[in-house]
Amino acid sequence: MERPTLQQMTYLVAVDEHRHFGKAAEACLVSQPALSAQIRELERRLGVTLFERGNRRVLPTSVGTIVIERARGVLRDTDELVAAARLDPSGLRGPLALGVIPTMAPYLLPGLLPAVTAAHRRVELHLHELKTAEILRGLREGGLDLGLLALPVAGEDLVSAALAEDPFVLALPENHPLAGEGPVPLSVVTGLPVILLEEGHCLRDQALSVCRLVGTEAAEMQATGMPTLCQMVATGRGVTLLPASAVALEARPGTGLTTRPFTDPAPSRTIGLVWRRTSPNDALYRELAVLLSENLGDHGAAPPGAPRA
């Protein structure tokens, strides 16, 4: 049996990602004829057709889909083999791809990044602001090394470490009848128009859970991101549940927004760090989780303990 080469599998995955031979060749820094020739050679070696080739689009065949998924796994395992060979037990080094959800990135990273780079001076952080599903896919396919997101996440192939509890607060316009100081019971949300983020944000699902808990329904209006959501609330369109980590930026003086904490037990989200179980940097990622947890003390972090899967 003639085995596929890593180069052929790299080209195969690139064509699937771009669904275009020319764009795939450009991404791989080769000519289109060279890439196409390697794909044809791969199909010859395997004895199957991997792509449906049309004038305007390229689609994987049913067997191509299976082969592409296997190729992704081989490339990911190869990258981890290289990483294991370069492993430095004294600290992280080289490129490190970190995926962060949009409802955490602008609020947590400014405080966390200096701590990471101070502890791991030879690391090259590459940040990717992505939704939860995209981060999990990136971790599983090898495009990301770590994910900073809300727990829990499903899958025995991933390891997660809880870093902090990020409580929700009630965000409302400054002139709202409920504006004031001190905690309020969660029941005050009942009957209020609660504006949420659009589909795809995990924060939306968490806020919906709270709405169901108190027997209220979300408003029909949706926001594309946290800044837009807060602006909609500030202009009197409704109220929302805001993570405490976002208050300093989104509800700062002059925004027209005010917040009130909820009485205990207050709803919250768990901030967590996630990585592949097979990563050779597992021990270093566990140490990094402890470091990040210590730097999230302002958000009610508790000792993370052992990472959980």
Side-chain angles (χ1 to χ4, degrees):
M1 180 187 296
E2 293 184 89
R3 292 178 176 175
T5 67
L6 290 176
Q7 184 183 64
Q8 289 170 344
M9 287 187 282
T10 299
Y11 292 168
L12 173 68
V13 170
V15 173
D16 180 58
E17 289 177 349
H18 295 278
R19 300 296 170 95
H20 191 280
F21 279 86
K23 293 179 180 178
E26 184 178 348
C28 294
L29 302 178
V30 296
S31 68
Q32 181 173 337
L35 181 140
S36 297
Q38 286 298 315
I39 295 296
R40 287 194 298 271
E41 173 61 17
L42 177 59
E43 290 178 320
R44 186 194 68 76
R45 292 187 179 192
L46 297 178
V48 296
T49 299
L50 298 171
F51 292 106
E52 297 178 19
R53 297 162 170 85
N55 292 330
R56 295 183 176 274
R57 63 178 184 174
V58 177
L59 294 175
T61 62
S62 57
V63 67
T65 300
I66 297 172
V67 173
I68 290 165
E69 188 60 29
R70 293 276 187 162
R72 289 186 196 277
V74 171
L75 293 174
R76 183 192 62 231
D77 291 345
T78 302
D79 289 341
E80 291 186 349
L81 181 151
V82 174
R86 296 177 177 174
L87 183 63
D88 182 352
S90 66
L92 297 168
R93 68 174 182 175
L96 183 70
L98 171 64
V100 190
I101 58 176
T103 58
M104 289 184 184
Y107 316 114
L108 300 181
L109 291 183
L112 295 181
L113 293 184
V116 175
T117 54
H120 302 276
R121 297 185 181 278
R122 290 180 293 175
V123 75
E124 302 169 16
L125 270 176
H126 298 273
L127 303 177
H128 304 268
E129 191 170 312
L130 302 165
K131 294 180 180 179
T132 298
E134 296 170 323
I135 291 177
L136 297 180
R137 183 167 60 251
L139 287 171
R140 290 186 166 110
E141 293 179 355
L144 294 175
D145 300 302
L146 290 167
L148 186 65
L149 38 69
L151 301 182
V153 296
E156 295 184 358
D157 56 333
L158 299 176
V159 175
S160 61
L163 307 180
E165 286 300 315
D166 194 9
F168 290 112
V169 299
L170 179 63
L172 50 152
E174 288 181 336
N175 59 355
H176 195 279
L178 288 174
E181 298 181 0
V184 293
L186 189 58
S187 58
V188 301
V189 176
T190 306
L192 295 177
V194 182
I195 308 174
L196 303 178
L197 293 174
E198 65 182 3
E199 294 283 351
H201 289 277
C202 62
L203 185 60
R204 171 188 173 84
D205 298 329
Q206 294 153 3
L208 274 174
S209 307
V210 176
C211 289
R212 296 189 189 102
L213 184 64
V214 297
T216 192
E217 295 186 2
E220 293 185 3
M221 290 182 293
Q222 299 179 13
T224 56
M226 192 84 84
T228 303
L229 175 66
C230 292
Q231 290 167 15
M232 292 170 69
V233 172
T235 55
R237 304 291 183 87
V239 303
T240 195
L241 299 178
L242 189 66
S245 59
V247 170
L249 183 60
E250 301 297 351
R252 64 190 184 279
T255 59
L257 200 69
T258 188
T259 62
R260 296 188 67 177
F262 290 108
T263 54
D264 291 334
S268 66
R269 64 176 180 176
T270 303
I271 299 170
L273 192 67
V274 181
W275 61 92
R276 289 184 300 280
R277 186 176 293 280
T278 56
S279 173
N281 283 322
D282 179 79
L284 289 173
Y285 291 161
R286 291 173 186 267
E287 293 178 9
L288 180 63
V290 175
L291 174 68
L292 296 181
S293 180
E294 292 171 348
N295 282 271
L296 283 171
D298 290 341
H299 307 302
R308 64 173 188 254

